[in-house]
Short mmCIF file of all heavy atoms in Angstrom, two decimals:
data_model
loop_
_atom_site.label_atom_id
_atom_site.label_comp_id
_atom_site.label_asym_id
_atom_site.label_seq_id
_atom_site.Cartn_x
_atom_site.Cartn_y
_atom_site.Cartn_z
N VAL A 166 -5.14 23.50 -11.91
CA VAL A 166 -6.48 24.10 -11.87
C VAL A 166 -7.38 23.17 -12.72
O VAL A 166 -8.53 22.91 -12.37
CB VAL A 166 -6.50 25.48 -12.43
CG1 VAL A 166 -7.89 26.01 -12.63
CG2 VAL A 166 -5.69 26.39 -11.47
N PHE A 167 -6.85 22.76 -13.90
CA PHE A 167 -7.66 21.91 -14.79
C PHE A 167 -7.99 20.56 -14.09
O PHE A 167 -9.19 20.10 -14.20
CB PHE A 167 -6.86 21.56 -16.06
CG PHE A 167 -7.58 20.62 -17.06
CD1 PHE A 167 -8.69 21.09 -17.71
CD2 PHE A 167 -7.12 19.39 -17.21
CE1 PHE A 167 -9.35 20.24 -18.60
CE2 PHE A 167 -7.78 18.49 -18.13
CZ PHE A 167 -8.90 19.00 -18.83
N THR A 168 -7.02 19.98 -13.39
CA THR A 168 -7.32 18.76 -12.65
C THR A 168 -8.41 19.03 -11.57
O THR A 168 -9.32 18.24 -11.40
CB THR A 168 -6.07 18.31 -11.89
OG1 THR A 168 -5.09 18.02 -12.81
CG2 THR A 168 -6.27 17.08 -11.07
N ALA A 169 -8.37 20.17 -10.93
CA ALA A 169 -9.38 20.48 -9.87
C ALA A 169 -10.76 20.61 -10.52
O ALA A 169 -11.79 20.14 -9.99
CB ALA A 169 -9.00 21.79 -9.17
N ILE A 170 -10.82 21.20 -11.72
CA ILE A 170 -12.12 21.37 -12.37
C ILE A 170 -12.72 20.03 -12.80
O ILE A 170 -13.91 19.75 -12.59
CB ILE A 170 -11.94 22.35 -13.62
CG1 ILE A 170 -11.56 23.69 -13.12
CG2 ILE A 170 -13.26 22.34 -14.41
CD1 ILE A 170 -11.15 24.61 -14.30
N LEU A 171 -11.84 19.16 -13.31
CA LEU A 171 -12.27 17.84 -13.72
C LEU A 171 -12.81 17.10 -12.48
O LEU A 171 -13.84 16.44 -12.51
CB LEU A 171 -11.15 17.03 -14.34
CG LEU A 171 -10.73 17.30 -15.76
CD1 LEU A 171 -9.50 16.46 -16.15
CD2 LEU A 171 -11.92 17.05 -16.72
N ALA A 172 -12.03 17.19 -11.38
CA ALA A 172 -12.43 16.50 -10.17
C ALA A 172 -13.79 16.99 -9.66
O ALA A 172 -14.61 16.14 -9.19
CB ALA A 172 -11.38 16.72 -9.10
N THR A 173 -14.04 18.27 -9.69
CA THR A 173 -15.25 18.85 -9.18
C THR A 173 -16.46 18.44 -10.07
O THR A 173 -17.45 18.09 -9.59
CB THR A 173 -15.14 20.39 -9.11
OG1 THR A 173 -14.05 20.68 -8.25
CG2 THR A 173 -16.43 20.97 -8.55
N ILE A 174 -16.29 18.56 -11.39
CA ILE A 174 -17.37 18.32 -12.27
C ILE A 174 -17.62 16.85 -12.52
O ILE A 174 -18.78 16.38 -12.48
CB ILE A 174 -17.11 19.04 -13.63
CG1 ILE A 174 -17.00 20.55 -13.35
CG2 ILE A 174 -18.28 18.81 -14.65
CD1 ILE A 174 -16.57 21.33 -14.63
N PHE A 175 -16.57 16.10 -12.75
CA PHE A 175 -16.75 14.66 -13.16
C PHE A 175 -16.33 13.65 -12.18
O PHE A 175 -16.49 12.47 -12.32
CB PHE A 175 -15.98 14.45 -14.48
CG PHE A 175 -16.45 15.38 -15.63
CD1 PHE A 175 -15.59 16.32 -16.06
CD2 PHE A 175 -17.66 15.20 -16.19
CE1 PHE A 175 -15.93 17.19 -17.09
CE2 PHE A 175 -18.07 16.08 -17.25
CZ PHE A 175 -17.17 17.05 -17.70
N GLY A 176 -15.72 14.15 -11.02
CA GLY A 176 -15.16 13.15 -10.06
C GLY A 176 -13.99 12.44 -10.56
O GLY A 176 -13.68 11.30 -10.21
N VAL A 177 -13.20 13.08 -11.52
CA VAL A 177 -12.07 12.47 -12.09
C VAL A 177 -10.82 12.85 -11.37
O VAL A 177 -10.56 14.05 -11.17
CB VAL A 177 -11.91 12.82 -13.57
CG1 VAL A 177 -10.64 12.32 -14.25
CG2 VAL A 177 -13.14 12.34 -14.39
N PHE A 178 -9.99 11.88 -10.94
CA PHE A 178 -8.78 12.22 -10.20
C PHE A 178 -7.65 11.44 -10.83
O PHE A 178 -7.40 10.28 -10.57
CB PHE A 178 -8.90 11.80 -8.72
CG PHE A 178 -9.93 12.56 -8.05
CD1 PHE A 178 -11.26 12.08 -8.00
CD2 PHE A 178 -9.68 13.73 -7.44
CE1 PHE A 178 -12.25 12.85 -7.38
CE2 PHE A 178 -10.63 14.55 -6.83
CZ PHE A 178 -11.93 14.04 -6.79
N PRO A 179 -6.92 12.08 -11.83
CA PRO A 179 -5.86 11.39 -12.55
C PRO A 179 -4.88 10.81 -11.62
O PRO A 179 -4.45 11.39 -10.64
CB PRO A 179 -5.33 12.49 -13.42
CG PRO A 179 -6.40 13.50 -13.53
CD PRO A 179 -7.09 13.49 -12.21
N ALA A 180 -4.30 9.62 -12.04
CA ALA A 180 -3.35 8.90 -11.23
C ALA A 180 -2.03 9.75 -11.09
O ALA A 180 -1.35 9.64 -10.10
CB ALA A 180 -2.98 7.57 -11.82
N PHE A 181 -1.75 10.54 -12.10
CA PHE A 181 -0.48 11.23 -12.04
C PHE A 181 -0.46 12.35 -11.09
O PHE A 181 0.59 12.84 -10.59
CB PHE A 181 -0.19 11.92 -13.42
CG PHE A 181 -1.13 13.02 -13.90
CD1 PHE A 181 -1.21 14.23 -13.30
CD2 PHE A 181 -2.02 12.66 -14.91
CE1 PHE A 181 -2.10 15.15 -13.70
CE2 PHE A 181 -2.93 13.63 -15.34
CZ PHE A 181 -2.97 14.85 -14.76
N ALA A 182 -1.65 12.71 -10.50
CA ALA A 182 -1.66 13.86 -9.49
C ALA A 182 -0.84 13.50 -8.28
O ALA A 182 -0.11 14.23 -7.75
CB ALA A 182 -3.14 14.06 -9.05
N ALA A 183 -1.00 12.23 -7.80
CA ALA A 183 -0.26 11.81 -6.59
C ALA A 183 1.22 11.78 -6.92
O ALA A 183 2.05 12.16 -6.06
CB ALA A 183 -0.74 10.43 -6.13
N GLU A 184 1.64 11.26 -8.09
CA GLU A 184 3.04 11.16 -8.43
C GLU A 184 3.66 12.53 -8.52
O GLU A 184 4.81 12.75 -8.11
CB GLU A 184 3.20 10.33 -9.68
CG GLU A 184 2.73 8.88 -9.56
CD GLU A 184 3.40 8.18 -8.41
OE1 GLU A 184 4.61 8.30 -8.16
OE2 GLU A 184 2.65 7.43 -7.66
N ASP A 185 2.87 13.46 -9.15
CA ASP A 185 3.50 14.80 -9.30
C ASP A 185 3.64 15.53 -7.94
O ASP A 185 4.33 16.53 -7.85
CB ASP A 185 2.54 15.62 -10.19
CG ASP A 185 2.65 15.30 -11.63
OD1 ASP A 185 3.55 14.45 -11.97
OD2 ASP A 185 1.87 15.79 -12.43
N ASN A 186 2.90 15.07 -6.90
CA ASN A 186 2.91 15.85 -5.63
C ASN A 186 3.39 14.99 -4.51
O ASN A 186 3.00 15.23 -3.39
CB ASN A 186 1.54 16.37 -5.37
CG ASN A 186 1.10 17.43 -6.41
OD1 ASN A 186 1.50 18.50 -6.41
ND2 ASN A 186 0.35 16.99 -7.37
N ARG A 187 4.17 13.98 -4.83
CA ARG A 187 4.78 13.04 -3.80
C ARG A 187 6.20 13.46 -3.47
O ARG A 187 6.99 13.69 -4.36
CB ARG A 187 4.71 11.63 -4.25
CG ARG A 187 5.29 10.64 -3.26
CD ARG A 187 5.43 9.20 -3.90
NE ARG A 187 4.14 8.72 -4.29
CZ ARG A 187 3.46 7.90 -3.52
NH1 ARG A 187 3.83 7.59 -2.29
NH2 ARG A 187 2.26 7.42 -3.89
N THR A 188 6.55 13.62 -2.16
CA THR A 188 7.83 13.85 -1.74
C THR A 188 8.29 12.84 -0.76
O THR A 188 7.49 12.52 0.22
CB THR A 188 7.95 15.30 -1.11
OG1 THR A 188 7.46 16.27 -2.02
CG2 THR A 188 9.39 15.58 -0.71
N GLU A 189 9.47 12.33 -0.97
CA GLU A 189 9.96 11.28 -0.04
C GLU A 189 10.97 11.85 0.91
O GLU A 189 11.94 12.59 0.44
CB GLU A 189 10.60 10.08 -0.79
CG GLU A 189 11.10 8.96 0.16
CD GLU A 189 11.83 7.87 -0.58
OE1 GLU A 189 11.13 6.95 -0.99
OE2 GLU A 189 13.03 7.94 -0.73
N PHE A 190 10.83 11.57 2.18
CA PHE A 190 11.84 11.98 3.20
C PHE A 190 12.48 10.69 3.68
O PHE A 190 11.94 10.02 4.55
CB PHE A 190 11.15 12.72 4.38
CG PHE A 190 10.57 14.04 4.02
CD1 PHE A 190 9.37 14.13 3.41
CD2 PHE A 190 11.32 15.19 4.33
CE1 PHE A 190 8.82 15.43 3.10
CE2 PHE A 190 10.78 16.47 4.04
CZ PHE A 190 9.55 16.59 3.35
N PRO A 191 13.66 10.39 3.11
CA PRO A 191 14.31 9.13 3.54
C PRO A 191 14.65 9.04 4.96
O PRO A 191 14.90 10.03 5.59
CB PRO A 191 15.56 9.09 2.62
CG PRO A 191 15.31 10.03 1.57
CD PRO A 191 14.41 11.11 2.10
N ALA A 192 14.60 7.82 5.54
CA ALA A 192 15.00 7.62 6.90
C ALA A 192 16.42 8.18 7.08
O ALA A 192 17.31 8.03 6.23
CB ALA A 192 14.88 6.16 7.31
N LEU A 193 16.67 8.74 8.30
CA LEU A 193 18.09 9.26 8.62
C LEU A 193 19.04 8.15 8.99
O LEU A 193 20.21 8.30 8.77
CB LEU A 193 17.99 10.22 9.75
CG LEU A 193 17.01 11.42 9.58
CD1 LEU A 193 17.05 12.32 10.77
CD2 LEU A 193 17.36 12.18 8.33
N GLN A 194 18.47 7.02 9.37
CA GLN A 194 19.28 5.78 9.64
C GLN A 194 18.66 4.67 8.87
O GLN A 194 17.88 4.84 7.93
CB GLN A 194 19.33 5.56 11.10
CG GLN A 194 20.03 6.63 11.91
CD GLN A 194 20.02 6.44 13.39
OE1 GLN A 194 19.61 5.36 13.85
NE2 GLN A 194 20.48 7.44 14.20
N THR A 195 19.05 3.38 9.14
CA THR A 195 18.41 2.24 8.54
C THR A 195 16.90 2.24 8.67
O THR A 195 16.43 2.42 9.75
CB THR A 195 19.03 0.93 9.16
OG1 THR A 195 20.45 0.91 8.99
CG2 THR A 195 18.36 -0.28 8.45
N GLU A 196 16.20 2.09 7.57
CA GLU A 196 14.81 2.16 7.56
C GLU A 196 14.13 1.07 8.39
O GLU A 196 14.43 -0.14 8.13
CB GLU A 196 14.27 2.14 6.15
CG GLU A 196 12.73 2.30 6.07
CD GLU A 196 12.22 2.36 4.73
OE1 GLU A 196 12.73 3.15 3.82
OE2 GLU A 196 11.24 1.57 4.35
N THR A 197 13.30 1.46 9.32
CA THR A 197 12.61 0.46 10.09
C THR A 197 11.07 0.55 9.87
O THR A 197 10.31 -0.31 10.30
CB THR A 197 12.83 0.66 11.64
OG1 THR A 197 12.42 2.01 11.95
CG2 THR A 197 14.28 0.50 11.94
N GLY A 198 10.65 1.53 9.13
CA GLY A 198 9.24 1.71 8.81
C GLY A 198 9.02 2.82 7.84
O GLY A 198 9.87 3.70 7.60
N ARG A 199 7.84 2.76 7.15
CA ARG A 199 7.56 3.77 6.13
C ARG A 199 6.13 4.32 6.42
O ARG A 199 5.11 3.56 6.44
CB ARG A 199 7.62 3.20 4.72
CG ARG A 199 7.30 4.19 3.59
CD ARG A 199 7.46 3.56 2.20
NE ARG A 199 8.90 3.42 1.96
CZ ARG A 199 9.60 4.24 1.20
NH1 ARG A 199 9.03 5.38 0.74
NH2 ARG A 199 10.89 4.09 0.96
N LEU A 200 6.11 5.61 6.67
CA LEU A 200 4.83 6.32 6.96
C LEU A 200 4.35 7.06 5.72
O LEU A 200 5.14 7.83 5.08
CB LEU A 200 5.11 7.27 8.14
CG LEU A 200 3.99 8.31 8.41
CD1 LEU A 200 2.68 7.73 8.83
CD2 LEU A 200 4.52 9.35 9.47
N THR A 201 3.13 6.88 5.30
CA THR A 201 2.57 7.63 4.22
C THR A 201 1.47 8.59 4.68
O THR A 201 0.54 8.21 5.38
CB THR A 201 1.94 6.59 3.21
OG1 THR A 201 2.91 5.66 2.78
CG2 THR A 201 1.40 7.32 1.91
N ILE A 202 1.69 9.88 4.39
CA ILE A 202 0.82 10.92 4.74
C ILE A 202 0.16 11.52 3.49
O ILE A 202 0.86 12.00 2.55
CB ILE A 202 1.53 12.02 5.57
CG1 ILE A 202 2.20 11.44 6.80
CG2 ILE A 202 0.60 13.20 5.92
CD1 ILE A 202 3.08 12.49 7.53
N TYR A 203 -1.20 11.52 3.42
CA TYR A 203 -1.88 12.26 2.44
C TYR A 203 -2.38 13.57 3.05
O TYR A 203 -3.02 13.58 4.09
CB TYR A 203 -3.07 11.45 1.98
CG TYR A 203 -2.71 10.37 0.96
CD1 TYR A 203 -2.12 9.24 1.38
CD2 TYR A 203 -3.04 10.56 -0.42
CE1 TYR A 203 -1.75 8.26 0.40
CE2 TYR A 203 -2.68 9.60 -1.36
CZ TYR A 203 -2.08 8.45 -0.92
OH TYR A 203 -1.78 7.49 -1.84
#
């Protein structure tokens, strides 16, 4: 919530936000590509 308030008021988006909310789904076989979804 604090992050959201900062973002709304000051346009601040801490770098840790993405890391805290990133989930990796490893390829089921040998990796042939990496898709990033926001």
Side-chain angles (χ1 to χ4, degrees):
V166 173
F167 179 68
T168 300
I170 295 170
L171 284 178
T173 301
I174 299 176
F175 301 110
V177 176
F178 296 90
F181 63 74
E184 297 306 316
D185 283 357
N186 295 281
R187 179 189 297 268
T188 303
E189 181 184 273
F190 292 81
L193 302 182
Q194 297 178 6
T195 302
E196 182 179 309
T197 59
R199 180 175 286 263
L200 166 65
T201 303
I202 301 173
Y203 280 75

